[in-house]
Every structure is written in structure tokens, then in C-alpha cells.
Amino acid sequence: PGRMAALCLRKLIHQATRNETSCINKYLDIPLVQTMQKTTFSQALMMVMASAKRRLMFVPTKSFCTTEEAEKKPEGKGKKPNAPKTFGSIGRKIPQRILHVISENGDSLGNMHRGDVIRLMNERDLKLVPLRENEEPPVYRLMTGKQIYEEQLKRREKQKASSKAGPVQLKELTFSAAIAKHDLEIKIRQIQQWIDKKHHVRISVQQQNVADGPEKMLALFDQIVETMPEKATYLSQPRVIKEGKSTCVLRHMSDKEASEYRKMEKEKTDILNQESGNETESSELQ
């Protein structure tokens, strides 16, 4: 009975594996059908297991994980992780619960719940702009659309100027308040050349007669600046650093400052022309 059972089982295996001979031969390197015909079932089974054991190999794979970390999408190829954020409104999706809010006028409104902030935005038709999100609580400012636009233009202009200009150098010049006119003109030409190159210029003036006071030195600084209209302005206002010596730092005007300067000068000229016209009319009437 045992021999008959083995023969029946071997026949069943032979039928089941008839169509899979090529696949088994490829992976186990055993002519299974021929082996089944020449050996008992137990011997053939042992040979198959031994061959499978020889071909067993471990393949490293990633572990399966369903946490949020595994579900994170990779960043886009074009994105820079440390790229600066664009200045603008975040809408009404405020991630933090408590905020330190600054009004559109620059006044501190203290810490507020985001619900109260949204209500304030709706009442005043304002937008919320993040200033310092890493602080605790984070600092936000309420701004109008016009304020945001002007700030964006200012930052764009500053970034454009910094990318075009090279490293700013600080030049220094020292002379006496009693300097001769010709020598002063030479100093002013040197200052103009530095200003044209967008350098900063520190001017120090030594006053020989301390009894005259600092007014003479301050007037000298203004005289130098007036020789470079639409170009030079104060980076550091004139100040007395010690008795008998004053200093200031000049820099080149930005395009916006130069435009405002021209506008202001035009308004001054219009006012003077209007006053002179009024004087002429009054004299004619007399």
C-alpha cells in the first residue's frame, strides 16, 4: 500500500509540473520530470529542497511604513530649500493660534487669537503679512494692498541694487576747517569720484579754533553735499565726536531718492516763481 501511494503521488506531481518544466529547470537546475521517473517521491522532494536552498539569496528592500514621514512627497527638483520667501499676504489660513499683531500704522496690538485677527481683517479690509514667524508668538503685520505693493517694490529695488553693485568700500578723508578754497575743491572732486563708484565716504573735519563752535564744520559738510545734487546724501548725519572734531558719512542716492529730490527742487522753484510773480503784480499795482 505504501509503494502504491508513492507511485500515485509521483504521478500527480508529474502531471502538475509537466507544463512548468522549463521554469523549474531555469531556477533549480534540476530536470525534475526525469528525476521523478527514476527516484522515489521522498528522494525527489529532498533534491528539490536542497537545490532551492543553494539558490536562496537575500535581497535588501525598504521597510514598509505607513507613518507621515513615509508619506511625505519629495521636494521638486527646481525648489531650493533655503530660498527666501516672497513678501506678501498669507490670506486667512493662519497656521498659528496666537499671534503678535502689528497694525497697518506700525502700532503693536499685542497678542491676539487668529479668530480675532481674521475678524479685524474683515472689518478693516486688511491683509496679514508674516514678519518673524520663528518667534514665540510669531509676529505678523496688518497691511493694506497698497502698503504691500510699495514694500515689494522697495525690496525688489534693494535686491536689484545689491546684485549690480560690487562690495561697498568705505573711503576716509580728513582735513581742516580752515582749508584753502583750491585745496577744498580738490578734496570735493575726490569725494565725487568715490560717490560715483557707489562707495561710502567718511569725512572728518578738524577745527583749529575751538571757540568758533561746531557750526562752521557742519556748514562745510552741507557745502560739500550741495556740490553733488541728485548724487550724494548723508548715510550718517554730521556729529561732533570730540571737542574740535566732527565727522559724517556720505553715500550715493538711490534712484527713488534722486527722483524725490528732483520733485522737491521743482516744488521749491515753483514756489519761488509764484512769490516773485506776486511781488511783480503788487509793484505794478502800486
Side-chain angles (χ1 to χ4, degrees):
R3 184 176 180 82
M4 288 297 295
L7 289 174
C8 292
L9 186 56
R10 183 168 60 184
K11 186 175 180 180
L12 290 173
I13 293 176
H14 174 67
Q15 292 175 351
T17 57
R18 183 181 301 169
N19 296 329
E20 308 295 333
T21 303
S22 59
C23 180
I24 296 176
N25 289 342
K26 180 178 179 181
Y27 289 97
L28 301 180
D29 295 333
I30 298 176
L32 185 61
V33 176
Q34 298 176 6
T35 304
M36 291 294 183
Q37 294 174 352
K38 297 179 181 179
T39 60
T40 63
F41 170 72
S42 58
Q43 291 174 339
L45 185 59
M46 292 178 62
M47 291 177 66
V48 170
M49 294 176 62
S51 177
K53 187 176 181 180
R54 288 198 304 269
R55 298 299 297 264
L56 185 62
M57 58 185 300
F58 293 95
V59 179
T61 60
K62 292 184 178 180
S63 59
F64 180 76
C65 181
T66 59
T67 61
E68 293 181 0
E69 183 177 356
E71 294 174 358
K72 287 182 180 178
K73 295 181 179 180
E75 294 184 355
K77 293 182 180 179
K79 292 183 179 180
K80 296 180 180 180
N82 296 326
K85 294 183 178 179
T86 304
F87 182 87
S89 170
I90 64 167
R92 283 164 171 74
K93 295 182 179 179
I94 306 173
Q96 297 89 356
R97 190 172 64 89
I98 301 297
L99 321 174
H100 183 84
V101 183
I102 299 174
S103 71
E104 68 274 25
N105 300 323
D107 301 325
S108 174
L109 301 179
N111 297 342
M112 300 179 63
H113 191 277
R114 59 187 168 195
D116 297 329
V117 177
I118 294 174
R119 178 180 52 80
L120 201 59
M121 293 166 62
N122 294 333
E123 290 176 356
R124 301 186 185 180
D125 192 21
L126 298 173
K127 302 179 185 299
L128 189 66
V129 178
L131 297 183
R132 297 183 295 276
E133 295 182 87
N134 295 329
E135 292 189 7
E136 187 60 38
V139 181
Y140 286 79
R141 180 173 179 178
L142 294 169
M143 302 181 73
T144 64
K146 183 180 179 181
Q147 286 177 323
I148 294 175
Y149 177 71
E150 290 176 351
E151 182 64 26
Q152 288 173 343
L153 286 180
K154 189 186 299 183
R155 294 191 178 205
R156 216 173 291 141
E157 182 181 351
K158 185 177 179 181
Q159 184 178 5
K160 186 178 179 181
S162 62
S163 62
K164 286 185 177 180
V168 177
Q169 298 182 21
L170 177 63
K171 303 294 185 177
E172 298 193 34
L173 208 60
T174 302
F175 50 87
S176 171
I179 187 172
K181 182 179 179 181
H182 176 71
D183 294 336
L184 179 60
E185 291 175 351
I186 294 175
K187 299 288 187 184
I188 290 176
R189 282 198 295 269
Q190 179 63 70
I191 295 171
Q192 289 173 343
Q193 292 176 5
W194 287 335
I195 292 296
D196 289 337
K197 294 179 180 179
K198 306 294 181 67
H199 296 323
H200 295 169
V201 183
R202 175 180 285 128
I203 305 173
S204 300
V205 177
Q206 185 73 41
Q207 188 173 351
Q208 293 180 347
N209 188 0
V210 181
D212 293 341
E215 290 79 11
K216 185 176 181 180
M217 292 184 287
L218 301 181
L220 185 56
F221 290 137
D222 291 337
Q223 179 184 346
I224 294 172
V225 173
E226 289 171 0
T227 62
M228 295 172 279
E230 300 183 24
K231 285 189 176 182
T233 186
Y234 288 112
L235 176 66
S236 173
Q237 292 290 332
R239 59 190 178 88
V240 179
I241 55 176
K242 64 179 181 179
E243 188 176 7
K245 188 174 183 179
S246 298
T247 185
C248 73
V249 180
L250 302 183
R251 64 170 176 83
H252 197 285
M253 279 186 178
S254 65
D255 294 340
K256 185 177 180 181
E257 287 173 330
S259 176
E260 291 177 351
Y261 176 83
R262 288 192 293 267
K263 183 179 178 181
M264 184 176 62
E265 289 298 314
K266 185 177 181 302
E267 291 175 353
K268 287 181 181 178
T269 304
D270 294 341
I271 293 173
L272 291 175
N273 293 336
Q274 186 177 359
E275 290 178 351
S276 62
N278 294 335
E279 290 176 359
T280 304
E281 290 178 1
S282 61
S283 62
E284 289 176 354
L285 292 174
Q286 292 176 356

